[in-house]
Amino acid sequence: MASSKQNIEALIKRDYQAGFVTDVEQESLPPGLNEDVVRALSAKKNEPAFMLAWRLQAYRHWLTMTEPKWAHVRYAPVDYQAISYYSAPKSKKDAPKSLDEVDPKLLETYEKLGIPLKERELLAGVAVDAVFDSVSVATTFKDKLAAMGIIFCSFSEAVHNHPELVQKYLGTVVPYTDNFFATLNSAVFSDGSFVYVPKGVRCPMELSTYFRINASKTGQFERTLIIADEGATVSYLEGCTAPMRDENQLHAAVVELVALKGATIKYSTVQNWYPGDVEGRGGIYNFVTKRGACRGDSAKISWTQVETGSAITWKYPSVLLEGDNSVGEFYSVALANNRQQADTGTKMIHIGKNTRSTIVSKGISAGRGQNAYRGLVKVLKGAENARNYTQCDSLLMGDKCGAHTFPYIEVKNPTAKVEHEATTSRIGDDQLFYLQQRGLSAEDAVSMIVNGFCKEVFKELPMEFAVEAQKLLGVSLEGAVG
Amino acid sequence: MLSIKNLQASVEGKPILKGIDLEVKAGEVHAIMGPNGSGKSTLANVLAGRDGYEVTGGSVTYQGKDLLALKPEERAREGVFLAFQYPVEVPGVSNIYLLKAALNAIRKHRGLSELDAMDFLTLVRERLKLVEMKEEFLYRAVNEGFSGGEKKRNEILQMAILEPALALLDETDSGLDIDALKIVANGVNALRSPERAMIVVTHYQRLLNYIVPDRVHVLAHGKIVKSGDKSLALELEKQGYAWVTEDAPRASA
Amino acid sequence: MTAPVSDSRPLYLDAINAQRAALPGQTVPAIRTLREEGQARFAELGFPTARLEDWKYTNVSAIAGQLFKPVNGALATVSSEQLHSHLFADLPAHRLVFVNGRHAPALSSVGKLPAGVIVGSLAEILATRPNIVEPHLGKIAPTGTNGFTALNAALFADGACVHLARGAVAEQPIYIVYVSTGDTDSVMTTPRNLVVLEESAQATVIEQYLALDDARYLTNVVTEAALGANSRLEQYRLQQESTKSYHIGTWYVRQARDSRFISHTVDLGGLLARNDLHDILGAEGAECEFNGLYVVDGRSHVDNHTCVDHAKPRGTSREYYKGVLDGMARAVFNGRVVVHPDAQQTDAQQMNNNLLLSRNAEVDTKPQLEIYADDVKCSHGATVGQLDTDALFYLRSRAVDEQTARDLLTYAFANDVLSRMKLAAIRLPLEQRLTTRLLRGRSLNELELI
């Protein structure tokens, strides 16, 4: 199969397509972190006193913590003093009031990324909140949503316009003491998205945020908070890219979801941060804490993620199933090609009665990539009739990569039923040959097999994202079969 | 022997049986036919007492007793036997062990002594011939790794050994090739007796060529919409279920 | 009982220093070095704490918080009458009995050994034929993976030594019995077993751990086994320690080309039992099969850690561990399978199933795969739950009452593991024990038909 191997190898060499730099004047804080930086950041954002107090609390706690080492990843140590904790496009001192006020160059960036805000506003019915480095540049569709009582705005705006909601929910799912990266985020987060869907309201469109790291030597620390009040429903999409740089950039985000009684939150991510080059130079360190709480009975939180980018991914979108009959789901495709390393999975904590969770994880390892699934299913004593089903599959392409599975199952209730299955397979020469012999190119054959492998996850994504995810996977995998 | 009056039942809150009336006398074979989703299997499972089938109204009297008040095993000991549509695999429990445990539980209930190993084996060997099964089947785990036909034959073997008063055959023919069907039917026919009643639930008329019923009932939308003798089955075969199900409003009026 | 202390390390180190000179084989340089390394490693590591990933679910602070006095000899005499009812009496075997860790020749009956087969006490063989032991002891098990193995290396005084020369076949099983009698003080035994099979040799080795009364003690045993090319070892490990005892058992196995290792681990006793079974498939075509059963109740805690290292191509591993938990029992399973970059065409399967019978029982299971090669077939599964409701209904519909149906299915669930044992003389008495335990003393005489 030498010829197909060569074909495939030729295919891998494609470039990172989102790797361009936007030339806008940036206003940044000098690199380094201390209490003054936290105060300056809060002051720049004109935050109320409770926010500064919270940030300082987090910062002081962070000083007592050490970086976690348990994940199946290796990377050069991060110098937290070399990072700039605030970076904003300088052109407009005040946040833009409408798209017309947004720097045309920024809009161009989004155009290149395939997210033309204007067009989307008109055609696609997707409300987009775009975060460029540290600040939210524009949020579309705000008016239409506001008429239904839905709040969709940048986190900074929420702090000013809805402080009572922020104060009530911020840090209730991911406390500022949670873990090293979440605590750092709590101290220095710059912006992010905020969503509140009132009682009984079904959000009529997909809400979407696009994150992009542009400035060099900056970290991105955004924070997202989504609250679905009783009986509300919302679907939220998140996409991420970063330009190519030969240094590693840190992304330490926190996402908190709160689903009250009967509410449903669906959170989808397509993560395509710059993965570094073939030799592992550069790329984003994606150290993210995502967690949702089903606070009321029959609440539902569903995470879907397609993780193709980042040099290192460290991320476990989780669900606390507090309410009776609440449901948690995690659908994931994670790819590790070249020198990428991913340690990702989920935690499903069954607290209420009749709580159900489903985990479907598809890990693809290629090149010298290392891909680990790490998951925890915990059934507490009171979680009568809790059910979990976990399916965890790995696909290996090439003999230099690795696929690892670390599921933790802890059961303290005899009426619970927990099932975990894991398999490992590879794309075999015989499969490739068979498909090629039927007229498919090696590339198409690989993509067919990989898409088949990921189908259960892709079908959870909103249509347009599913198409994008498939393409992204195709591009990210080029040349990966050996 | 069996008297079903206005029986109503739901599955997961959804009403499936909406008032079934049926009288079955000892020695009779009744066929219950109907399209998919008409409630045939629900009826069989309700009579056997399966969890998840909630009786919401009506009564079932069996040999003068309130059948619905009995636990599944009590019904079995009283002589109610369900041949499952999908016989369940029970890994680690051998067929013969199950047979002996079941038979002795029923004998004990009837005030009979337990069979000793020799008598038991003699009985089992004899009944094996009825369904043309090899003895080695006895020593395999219940239904585990059995083909569809083997599972159905195994059900009839159990019936032959347990000698129920009322046998419920739930889609015992579905999925069988003609040879297996004949074996199953022969087994069933050999067990017909003046003391025994049978309710044969089936989707296909084909089975009734081999097990000739005394009465045929057509179930549609949770009710018996038409009853007749064996000729009704042939009529159905000719005309299809639409013939009776379209009749339904009139029949129930 | 000794009063609890915050760090018992100095107490153990003192005990090591006091005993060292009297330990057998001190004149053999490799053995002396091994003991010194063990002592140094223990001084460094101490006992494991819950902060270590491998000890996350098993708290040994009850052991670490006091001195279990190392014993080096019999505390009490045991008569063969006392012992008889505890043994697998119908088993023709080469039997070695150890009382409180030391060889008891009067209770042993090794009998006539086939050509090329050596079975004896480690202390004795170290004294008479150290060349049998020296190349292997301490070479298969790393000296200090944790405080327990380090302590064993520092203090081992005796154990079983089994050596089969090239092509030798031990037709009768080699049956090693460890009897603990306990003492007024809490005591520790540190047996060390060595099993060496040269090319194409074949043996069955049974290790049985039992107590004559309900004493409180610690068994800290390490077994090393080297399987030569094309050799075959079937191992039975039956842990029936007292309900107050602690059992820490570590097995290290290294397999050469085309060798086959089968292990049956059964845990029925102990207050706390921890088994580490580490197998390195170090050459092409090696195969292993691990069967494990734990049936625990009361406040017992059983932890099975297995690790299969697929280091070379075309290895096969199979693991089936099952547990039944009642009372306030807790079980831990950690099954790790590592497929190294070289180990193409590895075929690894692992399954862990657990039944919880009580509201206060708990299971923590963690099957792990770490795969660095691509042409592999690997799968693992773990379940925690209850009996299958369909099977239960099926049995009830066949006139079996609910409790009997439950007991029967529980028995069938557990017996699945025992049914893989080839030695009927071991399997049948264990099945009997299982029926007593899971069928509440009711007889399963119907099963005699089968």
Side-chain angles (χ1 to χ4, degrees):
Chain A
M1 294 300 298
S3 63
S4 75
K5 189 180 279 184
Q6 280 159 8
N7 284 341
I8 302 160
E9 274 170 12
L11 289 170
I12 336 179
K13 309 289 184 223
R14 223 195 282 179
D15 294 332
Y16 179 67
Q17 294 192 332
F20 50 85
V21 179
T22 307
D23 184 19
V24 260
E25 217 182 328
Q26 300 273 338
E27 183 192 46
S28 305
L29 282 175
L33 183 56
N34 53 44
E35 274 200 26
D36 291 341
V37 169
V38 177
R39 285 174 201 279
L41 209 151
S42 186
K44 266 194 184 297
K45 305 179 77 70
N46 207 13
E47 286 180 346
F50 82 88
M51 278 304 310
L52 176 62
W54 198 72
R55 285 176 184 278
L56 288 173
Q57 237 176 337
Y59 175 69
R60 286 165 196 155
H61 187 75
W62 183 72
L63 291 175
T64 69
M65 301 172 97
T66 49
E67 210 171 319
K69 291 278 175 261
W70 43 261
H72 199 275
V73 293
R74 282 177 194 192
Y75 55 91
V78 177
D79 181 355
Y80 292 93
Q81 295 303 334
I83 295 172
S84 168
Y85 288 85
Y86 185 80
S87 168
K90 212 175 184 178
S91 54
K92 300 274 185 265
K93 272 270 170 189
D94 301 315
K97 303 260 177 337
S98 74
L99 285 183
D100 301 335
E101 290 183 32
V102 172
D103 188 322
K105 275 202 172 143
L106 280 190
L107 290 179
E108 211 179 288
T109 304
Y110 294 123
E111 294 276 353
K112 282 194 210 164
L113 286 170
I115 338 162
L117 282 88
K118 283 198 160 176
E119 270 184 47
R120 289 233 165 163
E121 186 171 2
L122 294 171
L123 303 171
V126 176
V128 176
D129 180 22
V131 177
F132 191 100
D133 284 350
S134 301
V135 294
S136 182
V137 283
T139 304
T140 58
F141 266 112
K142 212 180 271 184
D143 298 343
K144 192 175 171 193
L145 294 170
M148 300 179 75
I150 298 170
I151 305 167
F152 177 39
C153 61
S154 73
F155 206 99
S156 310
E157 283 174 90
V159 167
H160 289 289
N161 301 336
H162 310 282
E164 71 296 340
L165 286 173
V166 172
Q167 208 166 357
K168 184 171 176 189
Y169 291 105
L170 175 69
T172 64
V173 186
V174 181
Y176 73 83
T177 51
D178 196 79
N179 68 69
F180 186 83
F181 301 114
T183 301
L184 176 62
N185 173 287
S186 302
V188 302
F189 77 87
S190 40
D191 213 332
S193 298
F194 179 88
V195 177
Y196 172 80
V197 185
K199 260 185 203 174
V201 172
R202 175 176 282 272
C203 184
M205 61 187 82
E206 312 272 357
L207 303 183
S208 176
T209 301
Y210 220 92
F211 295 105
R212 177 165 172 78
I213 297 179
N214 194 51
S216 65
K217 297 196 167 55
T218 56
Q220 181 153 314
F221 303 93
E222 81 274 356
R223 187 144 191 136
T224 296
L225 177 57
I226 299 177
I227 302 135
D229 212 325
E230 290 181 14
T233 300
V234 61
S235 170
Y236 184 90
L237 316 176
E238 170 196 70
C240 328
T241 57
M244 287 157 59
R245 293 187 195 285
D246 56 9
E247 81 220 55
N248 295 108
Q249 283 175 288
L250 179 64
H251 173 250
V254 171
V255 175
E256 294 182 276
L257 310 181
V258 179
L260 300 180
K261 187 176 168 190
T264 299
I265 301 176
K266 186 172 171 61
Y267 194 105
S268 312
T269 305
V270 174
Q271 184 263 106
N272 181 30
W273 296 119
Y274 179 52
D277 67 12
V278 185
E279 297 307 320
R281 281 184 297 257
I284 299 292
Y285 290 170
N286 191 33
F287 300 152
V288 172
T289 305
K290 290 183 170 178
R291 196 175 302 150
C294 288
R295 289 266 158 87
D297 293 353
S298 305
K300 178 177 175 183
I301 289 178
S302 179
W303 297 102
T304 306
Q305 61 173 29
V306 177
E307 304 277 325
T308 63
S310 295
I312 314 245
T313 297
W314 180 98
K315 147 175 195 200
Y316 315 90
S318 304
V319 184
L320 304 169
L321 296 154
E322 295 166 13
D324 291 350
N325 306 309
S326 56
V327 176
E329 294 174 341
F330 175 73
Y331 298 96
S332 170
V333 167
L335 167 77
N337 193 5
N338 297 325
R339 301 267 179 172
Q340 281 177 280
Q341 303 174 61
D343 192 302
T344 182
T346 183
K347 290 190 246 182
M348 293 290 175
I349 314 296
H350 291 259
I351 303 163
K353 296 183 178 64
N354 303 314
T355 45
R356 280 177 291 142
S357 63
T358 305
I359 299 171
V360 177
S361 165
K362 305 283 181 175
I364 303 161
S365 310
R368 290 174 180 274
Q370 296 293 332
N371 206 333
Y373 167 81
R374 187 180 302 276
L376 170 66
V377 175
K378 190 167 191 159
V379 179
L380 299 183
K381 229 178 183 67
E384 293 294 305
N385 295 313
R387 294 284 178 270
N388 164 265
Y389 175 73
T390 301
Q391 173 75 46
C392 187
D393 298 320
S394 305
L395 188 69
L396 291 145
M397 305 166 78
D399 57 4
K400 300 280 189 294
C401 55
H404 319 293
T405 324
F406 304 97
Y408 293 70
I409 301 166
E410 302 177 8
V411 181
K412 296 186 205 303
N413 183 306
T415 62
K417 201 165 183 176
V418 176
E419 291 173 82
H420 171 97
E421 286 176 40
T423 63
T424 301
S425 55
R426 65 164 187 158
I427 296 187
D429 293 343
D430 47 349
Q431 281 175 309
L432 274 183
F433 174 69
Y434 183 80
L435 293 173
Q436 284 176 293
Q437 208 277 324
R438 295 289 182 269
L440 290 170
S441 69
E443 187 183 17
D444 287 347
V446 168
S447 125
M448 179 181 282
I449 295 167
V450 169
N451 283 321
F453 177 74
C454 299
K455 200 166 68 188
E456 283 163 275
V457 174
F458 286 161
K459 75 175 174 27
E460 294 298 321
L461 285 171
M463 179 70 122
E464 54 192 337
F465 256 46
V467 174
E468 190 182 328
Q470 282 197 24
K471 277 196 216 148
L472 203 53
L473 210 57
V475 171
S476 306
L477 265 177
E478 280 172 2
V481 172
Chain B
M1 172 179 288
L2 181 74
S3 173
I4 303 176
K5 293 210 160 67
N6 191 30
L7 181 64
Q8 297 156 52
S10 307
V11 178
E12 288 174 356
K14 194 179 160 211
I16 305 289
L17 300 183
K18 299 168 184 163
I20 302 277
D21 291 288
L22 184 65
E23 295 288 331
V24 180
K25 295 194 186 65
E28 290 181 348
V29 173
H30 289 236
I32 298 195
M33 304 187 66
N36 290 330
S38 59
K40 303 186 301 287
S41 285
T42 299
L43 177 61
N45 281 304
V46 165
L47 293 178
R50 192 165 200 157
D51 269 356
Y53 293 81
E54 195 197 347
V55 175
T56 51
S59 66
V60 179
T61 311
Y62 167 74
Q63 294 183 332
K65 294 191 179 82
D66 176 4
L67 185 70
L68 301 178
L70 301 179
K71 291 194 275 188
E73 58 268 35
E74 291 167 343
R75 299 182 200 201
R77 289 168 194 179
E78 291 288 342
V80 177
F81 180 91
L82 171 65
F84 283 56
Q85 181 179 5
Y86 303 109
V88 182
E89 299 188 1
V90 192
V93 173
S94 77
N95 237 340
I96 193 157
Y97 179 68
L98 171 60
L99 282 171
K100 185 144 193 247
L103 181 63
N104 282 333
I106 289 168
R107 286 179 65 91
K108 198 172 158 200
H109 185 73
R110 291 178 188 159
L112 301 169
S113 64
E114 295 195 358
L115 278 187
D116 68 32
M118 276 325 277
D119 290 347
F120 174 68
L121 263 187
T122 311
L123 172 72
V124 172
R125 288 198 177 120
E126 180 206 324
R127 298 296 149 93
L128 270 175
K129 287 181 209 143
L130 195 65
V131 286
E132 301 178 28
M133 279 167 81
K134 290 206 181 94
E135 202 171 323
E136 63 186 57
F137 270 92
L138 297 173
Y139 304 102
R140 286 170 53 182
V142 177
N143 292 324
E144 197 182 34
F146 285 27
S147 70
E150 286 167 348
K151 282 182 180 170
K152 297 296 172 84
R153 276 192 273 164
N154 199 25
E155 294 294 286
I156 303 305
L157 171 69
Q158 293 181 9
M159 176 168 118
I161 289 167
L162 301 180
E163 302 184 310
L166 173 66
L168 310 164
L169 278 63
D170 188 7
E171 308 256 0
T172 299
D173 55 325
S174 58
L176 293 188
D177 63 40
I178 194 69
D179 295 326
L181 180 67
K182 280 181 189 163
I183 294 171
V184 165
N186 287 342
V188 171
N189 286 329
L191 294 169
R192 287 177 82 149
S193 92
E195 295 85 44
R196 181 170 295 137
M198 293 189 188
I199 297 177
V200 180
V201 172
T202 181
H203 183 76
Y204 306 105
Q205 192 275 334
R206 186 182 68 160
L207 177 69
L208 305 182
N209 293 336
Y210 300 94
I211 302 174
V212 181
D214 300 299
R215 300 284 295 160
V216 174
H217 311 277
V218 180
L219 199 58
H221 310 301
K223 287 189 162 202
I224 291 177
V225 292
K226 207 168 186 77
S227 297
D229 59 16
K230 62 184 179 191
S231 62
L232 176 57
L234 298 169
E235 196 85 18
L236 275 174
E237 173 78 350
K238 248 183 269 163
Q239 310 217 18
Y241 281 118
W243 166 58
V244 278
T245 53
E246 279 161 18
D247 259 0
R250 258 183 294 141
S252 61
Chain C
M1 199 187 292
T2 327
V5 294
S6 61
D7 185 2
S8 59
R9 225 179 298 186
L11 302 178
Y12 283 94
L13 292 170
D14 287 349
I16 296 169
N17 287 328
Q19 295 215 351
R20 193 166 49 196
L23 293 172
Q26 280 299 87
T27 52
V28 182
I31 301 301
R32 204 171 51 234
T33 310
L34 174 60
R35 290 214 175 94
E36 281 163 5
E37 277 173 17
Q39 181 172 1
R41 272 304 267 171
F42 178 75
E44 187 186 327
L45 293 169
F47 291 105
T49 67
R51 280 197 299 274
L52 295 172
E53 180 66 23
D54 274 346
W55 296 82
K56 182 180 163 81
Y57 298 115
T58 295
N59 185 337
V60 294
S61 58
I63 300 173
Q66 69 165 99
L67 174 69
F68 280 81
K69 206 177 86 205
V71 289
N72 192 2
L75 299 158
T77 27
V78 174
S79 69
S80 56
E81 290 73 32
Q82 276 176 295
L83 191 59
H84 186 78
S85 66
H86 296 275
L87 298 179
F88 293 97
D90 298 337
L91 182 73
H94 307 291
R95 191 173 76 208
L96 275 179
V97 177
F98 295 81
V99 175
N100 297 319
R102 291 308 290 263
H103 183 217
L107 300 171
S108 302
S109 59
V110 172
K112 188 176 169 4
L113 290 164
V117 179
I118 297 169
V119 174
S121 132
L122 182 70
E124 183 194 310
I125 292 175
L126 267 176
T128 54
R129 282 174 287 181
N131 59 318
I132 299 273
V133 176
E134 217 184 331
H136 304 287
L137 203 74
K139 303 287 195 300
I140 307 161
T143 308
T145 41
N146 61 53
F148 290 106
T149 52
L151 200 54
N152 180 286
L155 276 169
F156 72 88
D158 207 348
C161 178
V162 175
H163 189 279
L164 276 83
R166 190 169 162 199
V169 176
E171 275 170 25
Q172 286 190 354
I174 295 149
Y175 181 18
I176 307 163
V177 185
Y178 282 97
V179 187
S180 287
T181 62
D183 193 45
T184 44
D185 270 342
S186 299
V187 297
M188 169 175 68
T189 61
T190 47
R192 185 87 163 195
N193 301 311
L194 176 66
V195 180
V196 177
L197 271 63
E198 288 185 351
E199 191 189 311
S200 302
Q202 197 172 316
T204 300
V205 174
I206 301 149
E207 285 175 44
Q208 187 184 19
Y209 297 87
L210 54 88
L212 289 186
D213 48 31
D214 212 21
R216 183 173 191 272
Y217 58 88
L218 164 64
T219 303
N220 177 14
V221 55
V222 173
T223 301
E224 298 181 81
L227 275 71
N230 200 38
S231 66
R232 186 181 193 285
L233 175 64
E234 184 157 0
Q235 174 237 345
Y236 292 74
R237 182 172 48 176
L238 314 168
Q239 186 272 108
Q240 298 159 283
E241 303 268 27
S242 85
T243 57
K244 291 187 191 138
S245 70
Y246 300 86
H247 179 97
I248 310 285
T250 308
W251 259 81
Y252 267 90
V253 183
R254 181 170 297 150
Q255 294 189 237
R257 197 181 179 101
D258 302 324
S259 61
R260 185 163 163 74
F261 173 63
I262 302 161
S263 151
H264 307 277
T265 300
V266 179
D267 283 280
L268 299 170
L271 178 61
L272 185 152
R274 161 74 178 236
N275 302 312
D276 276 277
L277 173 52
H278 195 134
D279 190 357
I280 299 166
L281 306 185
E284 280 197 38
E287 275 182 49
C288 69
E289 177 184 322
F290 299 171
N291 302 305
L293 173 66
Y294 39 97
V295 180
V296 276
D297 52 21
R299 291 178 168 275
S300 290
H301 179 116
V302 172
D303 179 346
N304 275 290
H305 267 60
T306 66
C307 180
V308 181
D309 254 318
H310 284 271
K312 294 287 168 195
R314 280 180 283 283
T316 303
S317 64
R318 294 284 180 274
E319 288 184 69
Y320 312 96
Y321 270 76
K322 282 190 166 188
V324 179
L325 287 92
D326 207 342
M328 298 175 74
R330 186 167 176 193
V332 180
F333 176 77
N334 190 114
R336 189 163 167 232
V337 174
V338 185
V339 180
H340 294 270
D342 232 12
Q344 295 293 0
Q345 289 170 284
T346 285
D347 179 355
Q349 287 176 24
Q350 182 191 79
M351 197 53 165
N352 173 235
N353 306 108
N354 297 280
L355 271 184
L356 286 177
L357 301 182
S358 127
R359 294 209 62 81
N360 295 310
E362 179 179 341
V363 166
D364 301 297
T365 174
K366 193 181 155 207
Q368 277 175 256
L369 291 174
E370 288 173 53
I371 299 169
Y372 300 91
D374 67 331
D375 185 8
V376 296
K377 268 200 303 202
C378 294
S379 69
H380 69 207
T383 62
V384 181
Q386 319 89 49
L387 299 169
D388 177 18
T389 50
D390 284 338
L392 210 51
F393 171 67
Y394 190 73
L395 293 182
R396 292 175 73 193
S397 80
R398 296 299 180 256
V400 179
D401 71 70
E402 186 176 351
Q403 192 57 56
T404 307
R406 283 185 180 281
D407 292 348
L408 186 60
L409 290 173
T410 307
Y411 174 81
F413 172 87
N415 196 46
D416 177 44
V417 178
L418 299 185
S419 68
R420 297 171 190 276
M421 293 181 168
K422 283 188 192 63
L423 282 179
I426 301 271
R427 189 183 69 238
L428 296 175
L430 284 175
E431 282 181 352
Q432 198 56 51
R433 271 187 83 114
L434 209 56
T435 49
T436 317
R437 195 115 162 213
L438 298 178
L439 294 176
R440 293 155 214 273
R442 267 172 284 145
S443 110
L444 241 196
N445 59 358
E446 289 93 334
L447 273 178
E448 287 165 16
L449 278 169
I450 300 170

